[in-house]
Amino acid sequence: MRTDEQRGDGPRRAAQYFGRPAFRRMLAAVWRKYASLGRIGGKAVVPDLSPDECEAIGEFFGWNLRPGDTAEIPLTLFETELRDSAFAIGILDLHQVLEGRPLLAKSEQRSLRDEAWRRFLLAARESAGAVVSSVAAEWLSRLEQGCGAGLPALRELYKADPEEALSSLRVVVRVLDFLFAGAGRPIRLPVLAARISGDAHALDAGHPAGRMLLAVLRELADMEDGVASTGGGDAASELGAGDSREEEDGSGTLKLRELYRRFGILDDDLSSIVHWYVPVPDEPAMPRVWTLRQVEAAERIPRCSSLYVVENPAVFSTIVDAAGPVVMDGDPPALICTSGPASAAAIRWMQRVLEHSGDGCKLYYSGDFDIKGLSMARTLAGLFPERFAPWRFDSESYLTAIRSLPGPAFDGGELSRLANMVVEWDRSLCAVMREAGRKVHQEALVEDLVSDFCETGGFA
């Protein structure tokens, strides 16, 4: 018979006994089974036992186990053995002793999470103070109903850091109040972020508050346009912001700007630039550099016969170097350099030139024969499907270059991407490049590009 002293010392002794590594998998299986059933029942299964596990489990239950065996432990048996042992405690007591918290069924865990989430949203509403705009108030209500825009991002952040989630939610509510409660003239995004939170980057698309704000604005835009919206999607990713797709799809920046500006938020229109050149009679060949602000504000946009686009600055400069005096009549060709993925300024400049020049003006693209070059071409082909044409950017041009000027080899990942990629203007190009296994840089074709542009431009 156990003495009172033994009973009182049971939890401490149980912690020492079952705290051994040999019991770790068995106890984890016991906890899972209880959480799943919500009661003491069923069997905890421990496969492929180690020698130490065989010894520990076999010693407690009086079983003869061998390494590699699977132990099936009825929870009712474990409960009985525990209470009849010198420890004199049950499964729930043992979990409390070892883990420092109650062992809960999944339904109980879910109820606690739901209650904590409700308290979180209540705290968010209270900390936001007096919500002025109906937009902010309705968004909070929809979050409480489990259907608000940006909800997945908020829940994810809440799981990782409830305090940061509360702070980010409060920032978005205040921003919505500012935007929709008669705040006045448009405001730059970093200025708005600093004014609301003290952090000029708080509303960046890669930050939690920025992602939630984009989701709300996207939902509002869809509602105004009569477009069905799920209300919970990640608008930042869909618009190409805050992820690697922006490297391949520069149009994401423009989509983002359009969404912001629709609701009175202005962004950076100075750091995005474009290099362009349009021949002018009696003037030296001199390229220009415009910011996005200049592109959008310009009252005089060149009218061109065709628009030639190159990826690399050295190729752009080489073509401009070869341009002589203009002798042709009519509209000249235009040359533009994207300097890698097309910036918002470059795309907007192309849009304006094509709009101003009429349907006869085509966009000819030349780039590196590599993954990024193909991706950039696909972006432009998608933006200007009726105007896009390859400029020495097809299978024939690739094979001609590879015979004399092969570039670096594709790595395994690039070859895999080529295997899954098809370009509309030459459906065999990716397969041809994959078979050859070599890249071709645009610089290898520069003499032909110079000849094409100068012939079209009518230079002396």
Side-chain angles (χ1 to χ4, degrees), residues 138-313:
E138 290 172 6
W139 181 57
L140 280 175
S141 296
R142 285 170 57 78
L143 288 176
E144 292 165 350
Q145 297 164 15
C147 57
L151 182 60
L154 179 61
R155 283 192 179 276
E156 181 180 347
L157 181 59
Y158 170 76
K159 291 177 183 178
D161 190 338
E163 290 188 7
E164 184 178 359
L166 181 61
S167 175
S168 298
L169 182 55
R170 187 188 304 121
V171 167
V172 178
V173 170
R174 291 176 177 172
V175 169
L176 294 176
D177 257 0
F178 181 90
L179 295 176
F180 297 99
R185 62 180 183 177
I187 186 171
R188 300 280 169 187
L189 184 66
V191 176
L192 174 60
R195 177 169 179 170
I196 296 298
S197 70
D199 179 0
H201 297 286
L203 297 178
D204 288 358
H207 286 60
R211 299 184 82 85
M212 282 189 281
L213 176 63
L214 278 174
V216 177
L217 298 182
R218 176 64 174 273
E219 184 179 63
L220 291 171
D222 287 344
M223 291 171 62
E224 290 181 357
D225 295 339
V227 176
S229 174
T230 61
D234 187 342
S237 295
E238 292 173 12
L239 292 166
D243 63 21
S244 60
R245 287 184 299 172
E246 179 64 16
E247 295 180 1
E248 298 177 3
D249 186 357
S251 63
T253 302
L254 280 177
K255 293 178 183 177
L256 204 61
R257 293 183 70 257
E258 290 169 2
L259 181 62
Y260 281 139
R261 294 199 168 208
R262 184 167 179 170
F263 296 100
I265 301 175
L266 307 179
D267 65 341
D268 173 18
D269 55 6
L270 294 180
S271 60
S272 181
I273 62 173
V274 56
H275 295 79
W276 61 274
Y277 166 65
V278 174
V280 177
D282 303 322
E283 290 189 11
M286 185 61 62
R288 301 189 182 187
V289 182
W290 275 9
T291 66
L292 178 58
R293 188 186 188 103
Q294 289 173 291
V295 173
E296 295 196 318
E299 295 183 359
R300 297 184 61 184
I301 293 293
R303 181 179 174 87
C304 303
S305 59
S306 49
L307 176 54
Y308 290 88
V309 182
V310 296
E311 176 185 343
N312 301 302

Side-chain angles (χ1 to χ4, degrees), residues 275-281 285-287 301-309 316 319-320 323-336 349 353-354 357 360-364 391 449-460:
H275 295 79
W276 61 274
Y277 166 65
V278 174
V280 177
M286 185 61 62
I301 293 293
R303 181 179 174 87
C304 303
S305 59
S306 49
L307 176 54
Y308 290 88
V309 182
F316 177 80
I319 296 174
V320 174
V326 180
V327 296
M328 69 178 294
D329 295 326
D331 295 332
L335 181 68
I336 181 175
W349 194 87
V353 169
L354 291 173
S357 301
C361 181
K362 297 294 183 181
L363 185 154
Y364 297 94
W391 179 20
L449 300 178
V450 166
S451 176
D452 291 344
F453 185 79
C454 287
E455 180 180 347
T456 305
F459 297 105

Side-chain angles (χ1 to χ4, degrees), residues 12 113 301 328 432:
R12 181 186 64 80
R113 287 196 299 268
I301 293 293
M328 69 178 294
V432 169

Side-chain angles (χ1 to χ4, degrees), residues 13 17 60 90 92 200 206 208 269 323 357 374 411 420 448-449:
R13 297 173 61 194
Y17 184 83
F60 181 79
L92 302 184
D269 55 6
S357 301
L374 292 173
D411 62 31
N420 297 311
D448 291 328
L449 300 178

Side-chain angles (χ1 to χ4, degrees), residues 28-92:
V30 169
W31 310 150
R32 287 196 300 271
K33 179 57 66 174
Y34 178 87
S36 176
L37 295 177
R39 58 182 174 82
I40 296 176
K43 294 180 180 180
V45 179
V46 188
D48 194 19
L49 294 173
S50 70
D52 287 345
E53 289 172 328
C54 290
E55 181 180 352
I57 296 173
E59 176 187 70
F60 181 79
F61 289 103
W63 295 343
N64 183 22
L65 298 171
R66 296 180 179 180
D69 284 353
T70 295
E72 296 184 356
I73 304 160
L75 266 64
T76 52
L77 175 62
F78 188 33
E79 174 77 5
T80 300
E81 294 290 339
L82 275 174
R83 292 198 177 279
D84 289 343
S85 70
F87 310 128
I89 61 175
I91 290 177
L92 302 184

